[in-house]
Amino acid sequence: MSVAVEEARPAPVAPTHREVLARSQRLADSAAQSLNDEALRVERDRMALATVHSVLAGDGWERAYANASKSAARLLAGVVAENAVKRTHGFTRKLEA
């Protein structure tokens, strides 16, 4: 009869604020390159939520998270505009009333 010996796995370590912000920037840049507006929306909202958590925790990182959210929002605006240009082939017509 053999007894399986279980090795203790180390407890997961939460990422640092700098790692979270760096990952966010990489994800946002990648999503902007691939014109993925949904991924940018998720990242913008995730950083906005991190801003709120930072304010409530009082850890002093709220400005960095807010800037990351703003950066993702600006990239999102560019991607949405680029996708709109593709749909209209760069042309829009003025509606006459």
Side-chain angles (χ1 to χ4, degrees):
M1 182 161 120
S2 74
V3 177
V5 177
E6 290 186 34
E7 293 183 27
R9 297 178 76 185
V13 177
T16 65
H17 294 288
R18 290 186 201 288
E19 291 170 342
V20 170
L21 291 166
R23 179 179 181 267
S24 172
Q25 187 63 45
R26 283 193 311 271
L27 287 172
D29 289 342
S30 173
Q33 287 288 344
S34 63
L35 299 179
N36 186 346
D37 61 337
E38 186 60 31
L40 278 168
R41 281 188 178 90
V42 168
E43 199 54 36
R44 176 200 61 193
D45 294 347
R46 197 171 75 84
M47 287 296 102
L49 185 60
T51 304
V52 172
H53 281 271
S54 182
V55 168
L56 294 176
D59 58 17
W61 284 87
E62 59 271 2
R63 181 171 290 196
Y65 287 123
N67 285 337
S69 179
K70 181 175 74 171
S71 174
R74 285 184 175 171
L75 288 172
L76 175 61
V79 168
V80 167
E82 186 72 28
N83 288 341
V85 166
K86 287 181 179 177
R87 281 195 309 273
T88 61
H89 305 291
F91 296 99
T92 56
R93 278 195 319 220
K94 207 176 200 183
L95 293 175
E96 297 180 17

